[in-house]
Every structure is written in structure tokens, then in C-alpha cells.
């Protein structure tokens, strides 16, 4: 390729193409760095490569907030999640399960149950990084579409990045809760009637 004066030109198109490809990647890396600096990423630890399931007959909580965020695993992969944060929560007939596939052995299930016999599971400053949630829910004093960086009804640190969608409420009541998640954090987590089992095969809460 030659310029207007007949002189050879080398590398110009390649450098422009390189810049066009590099700028979005650099912007994305910078945004991730800002998110890390501001504590906007969800879990404070690298999550495992397995999601787990949680079910409960009922969940009641005071100080509810929900917003989008990102978890990371040990490989540095980014995993989008919906963070549900509750100041104080009570759950009846809690079940938690995770299935691991091992070579030769096959599926191994870890099942945990608690909150039976009329004494609920209790948690404070509860954060669940979920990818799926279902049930029958009711709220009081709900605000839908609030900026995630301005949330103030949930736990003190329950805020997302500026301009992102979020919702919050004075309290929440969910029956027939079904949830799939990457991580759970809590200030305190009291499991009354705790029972844990490991067994062969796939045995999930739902």
C-alpha cells in the first residue's frame, strides 16, 4: 500500500484494527477494576464451579433489597447474579443440596436440612447470589426501579453499582421458596435441627 506521494505505508490498517479491538477490552477491564475497588462484586470469595439449590416452606424477612451483580470463580470467570439481601430472615423447613459428579463413582449428593419442629432457621445480614428464584411473594413498602447505589432498606452494605436497576422493601414473605445460587453470605446463620447427609445418586431439594 502506498500513500498519496507514492511512499509505501505499512502497519497502519493493522494498528487501527488492533486499537478498535483493544479499546472495548480495556474499557471492560477498567470497569471491572472500578467495580472491585468499590466492592460492587457480590461474593467476597471465589465461588466454586457448582451451583446449589435451596428450598423452604416459607421465608419471612425484614429489610429487603435486590440488585444485579457479578460473582467470580477461581479461574476469574464472571458470573452474573441477582443478589437478594435481607437484614433479618427466618426460614421454615430449609433444604440445601448440591450434586457432584465424580469419575468412576458417579453422582454424589450433599443434602442439608434444618428449621423443622416449629423452630425456624434464623439469619442476619443475609446475602444470596442467585441465578433463579421462584415462590409466592408479598412485600410491604416496596420500591421497584430504584438506583442500586442508593438502596437503604437492606443490610448496610447491600448496594450495587450506580445506574443499575434494583428494588427494596420494608419486609418480604415468600412461601414455597425455590432458589438456585452460587453463594450465600450471612452475619449470623442459626440452623436449628441441622441434619446433613451424603449419598450416592442425584438427590436435590427440587
Amino acid at each position: 500500500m502506498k500513500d498519496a506521494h507514492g511512499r509505501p505505508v505499512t502497519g497502519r490498517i493493522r494498528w487501527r484494527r488492533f486499537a478498535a479491538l483493544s479499546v472495548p477490552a480495556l474499557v471492560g477491564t477498567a470497569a471491572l477494576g472500578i467495580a472491585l475497588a468499590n466492592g460492587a462484586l457480590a461474593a467476597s470469595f471465589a465461588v466454586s464451579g457448582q451451583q446449589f439449590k435451596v428450598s423452604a416452606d416459607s421465608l419471612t424477612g425484614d429489610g429487603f433489597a435486590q440488585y444485579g451483580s457479578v460473582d467470580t470463580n477461581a479461574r476469574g470467570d464472571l458470573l452474573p447474579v441477582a443478589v437478594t439481601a435481607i437484614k433479618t430472615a427466618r426460614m421454615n423447613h430449609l433444604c440445601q443440596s448440591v450434586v457432584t459428579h465424580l469419575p468412576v463413582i458417579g453422582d454424589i449428593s450433599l443434602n442439608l436440612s434444618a428449621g423443622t419442629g416449629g423452630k425456624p432457621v434464623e439469619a442476619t445480614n443475609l446475602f444470596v447470589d442467585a441465578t433463579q428464584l421462584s415462590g409466592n411473594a408479598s412485600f410491604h413498602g416496596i420500591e421497584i426501579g430504584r438506583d442500586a447505589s442508593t438502596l437503604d432498606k437492606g443490610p448496610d452494605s447491600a448496594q450495587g453499582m450506580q445506574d443499575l436497576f434494583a428494588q427494596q422493601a420494608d419486609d418480604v414473605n415468600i412461601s414455597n421458596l425455590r432458589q438456585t445460587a452460587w453463594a450465600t453470605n450471612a452475619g449470623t446463620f442459626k440452623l436449628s435441627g441441622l441434619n446433613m447427609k451424603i449419598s450416592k445418586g442425584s438427590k436435590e431439594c427440587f
Side-chain angles (χ1 to χ4, degrees), residues 20-38:
L21 294 172
S22 298
V23 169
L26 291 172
V27 171
T29 302
L32 178 58
I34 293 170
L36 284 165
N38 293 338

Side-chain angles (χ1 to χ4, degrees), residues 4 16 21 26 28 66 75 119 132 134 145 151 164 169 183 196 198:
R16 286 176 178 173
L21 294 172
L26 291 172
Q66 192 172 64
R75 294 184 179 86
K119 194 170 183 181
Q132 176 272 330
S134 65
L151 295 171
L164 292 188
M196 186 181 74
I198 297 179

Side-chain angles (χ1 to χ4, degrees), residues 12-198:
R12 181 174 295 173
I13 293 177
R14 290 180 181 177
W15 279 110
R16 286 176 178 173
R17 193 172 294 171
F18 173 78
L21 294 172
S22 298
V23 169
L26 291 172
V27 171
T29 302
L32 178 58
I34 293 170
L36 284 165
N38 293 338
L41 294 189
S44 57
F45 52 85
V47 301
S48 75
Q50 297 174 276
Q51 295 190 70
F52 56 92
K53 292 186 175 181
V54 177
S55 67
D57 286 356
S58 65
L59 178 151
T60 57
D62 295 319
F64 168 88
Q66 192 172 64
Y67 53 94
S69 191
V70 178
D71 282 347
T72 58
N73 60 23
R75 294 184 179 86
D77 298 327
L78 303 180
L79 309 168
V81 294
V83 178
T84 298
I86 305 175
K87 277 187 177 180
T88 60
R90 297 163 296 284
M91 290 164 277
N92 289 298
H93 291 91
L94 174 71
C95 173
Q96 179 178 302
S97 66
V98 62
V99 179
T100 301
H101 184 80
L102 299 176
V104 182
I105 297 176
D107 289 337
I108 300 294
S109 296
L110 169 64
N111 291 79
L112 179 151
S113 62
T116 60
K119 194 170 183 181
V121 170
E122 298 179 353
T124 62
N125 295 327
L126 176 67
F127 290 77
V128 180
D129 303 348
T131 57
Q132 176 272 330
L133 185 150
S134 65
N136 303 307
S138 62
F139 305 87
H140 288 103
I142 191 166
E143 300 172 355
I144 300 173
R146 182 163 177 150
D147 188 298
S149 68
T150 68
L151 295 171
D152 58 8
K153 291 188 177 183
D156 291 340
S157 59
Q159 292 182 336
M161 294 184 69
Q162 186 174 344
D163 297 329
L164 292 188
F165 173 92
Q167 57 185 358
Q168 65 177 4
D170 295 333
D171 58 64
V172 59
N173 192 321
I174 304 175
S175 62
N176 196 31
L177 172 68
R178 301 288 183 268
Q179 188 166 247
T180 305
W182 284 111
T184 295
N185 290 293
T188 62
F189 205 51
K190 297 180 180 179
L191 299 168
S192 59
L194 173 64
N195 184 26
M196 186 181 74
K197 291 182 180 179
I198 297 179

